[in-house]
Amino acid sequence: MELGDLEKLFGAMVERRRHLHRHPELSFKEKETSTYVAGILKELGVEVTEIGGGYGLVGRLRGALPGKTIALRADMDALPIQDEKECEYASQVPGVMHACGHDGHTSVLLAVAEYYSERLQEIRGEIRFLFQPAEETCPGGAVGMIEAGALEGVDVIYGVHLWTPLPLGTAASVAGPMMASVDDFFIDIQGRGGHGGMPHKAVDSVVAGSSLVMQLQSVVSRSVDPLQPAVVTIGSIQGGTAQNVIADRCRLSGTARCFDESTRQVIRERIYALVEGITQSYGTEAHIHYITGYPSLVNDEAEFGRFNRALGKVPGLKGETAAQIMPAEDFAYYLQHVPGCFVLVGAGNEEKGIIYPHHHPRFDIDEGAMLHAAALLVSMAETYQDEH
């Protein structure tokens, strides 16, 4: 890896990232982002294919030497959040912003593509660049990319996530499960409305819903193996229109996350059983819309070892063993098909005030993390080639 040549691309990385930050697009609506990325790739001489039934892109650089096919992935979508930062590259789209670093991921992968486009004679096999839509919204863009053939012939895949909880200069990963599976559920409770002063003439959906919120807290504490990390969160409860009216309808929404598929099934079954039992006991009826989302992200053990070896070739970047975290990532789908490794690259910087968590309206990254991420992806790809 020639770090000096990557450093020369840093200015372009920053410029592209800020352009994307000003012009964010939501999941499955990344039309202009996809066009922008495709235009740059074509200028670099990268073979580009639109894929995935939306705005996904696959770029290919086929080297002059025989070898394996290495895939590198970036996500492109933004979130429905109002940007509250005061900076020249703040989002220009009301109510939409890159609050998770996907603009940085896209810019990093474009830089890696540019780096390799100048080294076709040195590439062994193929470097494949996956620019994926809709990581933030289930069912996620990875599924469509895979179904459309993005992984055909791929031997290994790597991805990075710029991560503000980690300080700049740090990269972290772990062998095995690293990020949780995610399932979302929506529970609609139907009662019978009435006057607030005559509750005996009504069936109170809010009381049933409130009891259900409390009982759902027992799913993890009493039905899940205490050695298996899991969480069930009720994120919203909505019911009623006035202080003196008993609500005929109430809606709960929540999320369930864990790392083990059998635990995942236990949680689902207990939620259904509690909803049926509790709501019937209050004389209400309930309907559950349960969305099975991303599986747990499980890194290949051998590729995690390769990450550690590649890390040593990136100046200024130190490694850590990542703790398991409950946020989910649809990179998990790629890892179900081919071996690979997903890495968190530190992008936080307290001295610069870059302290806000992902999905926060003042979220930002230390842009120096993009150079670390690009260098790490190149180092991982080259380490794989050297060892095969």
Side-chain angles (χ1 to χ4, degrees):
M1 180 186 66
E2 298 178 36
L3 184 62
D5 289 342
L6 276 173
E7 289 174 337
K8 292 176 184 177
L9 300 175
F10 180 65
M13 266 191 272
V14 171
E15 180 181 347
R16 291 164 182 163
R17 182 256 168 170
R18 294 187 177 189
H19 169 84
L20 293 170
H21 203 86
R22 292 187 194 99
H23 305 286
E25 294 178 296
L26 295 173
S27 303
F28 295 114
K29 297 181 180 180
E30 306 93 336
K31 180 180 179 180
E32 297 303 323
T33 302
S34 182
T35 299
Y36 176 78
V37 170
I40 293 172
L41 292 174
K42 290 174 182 177
E43 287 179 4
L44 296 173
V46 178
E47 176 188 337
V48 180
T49 304
E50 296 180 3
I51 198 170
Y55 299 110
L57 300 170
V58 173
R60 290 180 170 89
L61 283 175
R62 307 175 201 270
L65 304 172
K68 304 286 189 177
T69 297
I70 300 170
L72 308 173
R73 173 270 206 171
D75 37 18
M76 302 188 293
D77 55 327
L79 286 156
I81 297 172
Q82 178 62 43
D83 194 345
E84 295 181 1
K85 293 191 303 300
E86 295 181 3
C87 60
E88 59 89 14
Y89 52 86
S91 171
Q92 297 177 7
V93 182
V96 182
M97 74 169 288
H98 275 290
C100 203
H102 297 188
D103 51 340
H105 304 165
T106 299
S107 301
V108 164
L109 197 55
L110 284 171
V112 175
E114 186 167 356
Y115 176 88
Y116 277 114
S117 71
E118 300 170 352
R119 290 168 173 76
L120 291 179
Q121 298 304 310
E122 302 172 19
I123 295 176
R124 288 161 279 175
E126 178 188 328
I127 307 294
R128 191 173 300 180
F129 308 95
L130 310 186
F131 291 89
Q132 178 205 304
E135 187 279 326
E136 295 287 0
T137 303
C138 286
V143 172
M145 298 281 285
I146 294 166
E147 290 177 347
L151 292 181
E152 289 181 4
V154 169
D155 295 290
V156 70
I157 186 167
Y158 301 124
V160 296
H161 200 307
L162 301 173
W163 197 245
T164 58
L166 289 177
L168 182 71
T170 304
S173 189
V174 68
M178 185 172 88
M179 301 181 75
S181 62
V182 57
D183 298 327
D184 295 328
F185 54 89
F186 303 84
I187 304 167
D188 290 297
I189 301 171
Q190 180 66 57
R192 186 173 67 250
H195 195 289
M198 303 176 68
H200 59 295
K201 297 290 188 180
V203 178
D204 196 331
S205 65
V206 169
V207 170
S210 300
S211 179
L212 184 57
V213 169
M214 298 307 297
Q215 292 302 315
L216 286 172
Q217 306 310 303
S218 71
V219 172
V220 172
S221 66
R222 288 297 176 267
S223 298
V224 170
D225 182 339
L227 299 180
Q228 290 290 341
V231 64
V232 173
T233 292
I234 304 301
S236 73
I237 177 168
Q238 301 167 332
T241 57
Q243 83 284 357
N244 60 349
V245 177
I246 291 174
D248 65 338
R249 295 179 182 228
C250 179
R251 168 172 260 216
L252 312 181
S253 66
T255 186
R257 297 167 186 249
C258 63
F259 296 93
D260 174 74
E261 281 300 314
S262 62
T263 300
R264 192 179 192 185
Q265 186 60 31
V266 167
I267 291 172
R268 179 187 175 109
E269 290 172 357
R270 289 300 299 148
I271 288 175
Y272 268 88
L274 284 169
V275 169
E276 181 178 2
I278 297 299
T279 56
Q280 283 185 4
S281 72
Y282 281 90
T284 58
E285 297 179 354
H287 172 75
I288 305 177
H289 180 45
Y290 203 97
I291 301 172
T292 301
Y294 307 158
S296 177
L297 187 151
V298 182
N299 283 323
D300 182 83
E301 186 172 351
E303 295 310 322
F304 169 69
R306 208 177 317 279
F307 152 71
N308 281 320
R309 294 192 292 279
L311 188 68
K313 303 174 186 177
V314 182
L317 197 58
K318 65 177 182 179
E320 293 183 0
T321 299
Q324 291 181 330
I325 55 176
M326 285 298 177
E329 238 290 347
D330 76 346
F331 191 85
Y333 288 116
Y334 299 115
L335 294 175
Q336 290 184 330
H337 291 268
V338 296
C341 189
F342 194 68
V343 181
L344 305 176
V345 177
N349 191 325
E350 291 187 7
E351 292 182 359
K352 294 182 179 180
I354 300 174
I355 57 174
Y356 295 97
H358 293 252
H359 297 207
H360 189 282
R362 297 187 68 181
F363 174 84
D364 204 353
I365 60 170
D366 187 316
E367 291 171 324
M370 294 192 294
L371 181 58
H372 291 157
L376 182 59
L377 284 175
V378 171
S379 183
M380 291 175 74
E382 292 185 353
T383 300
Y384 182 88
Q385 289 175 327
D386 291 342
E387 296 176 358
H388 286 81

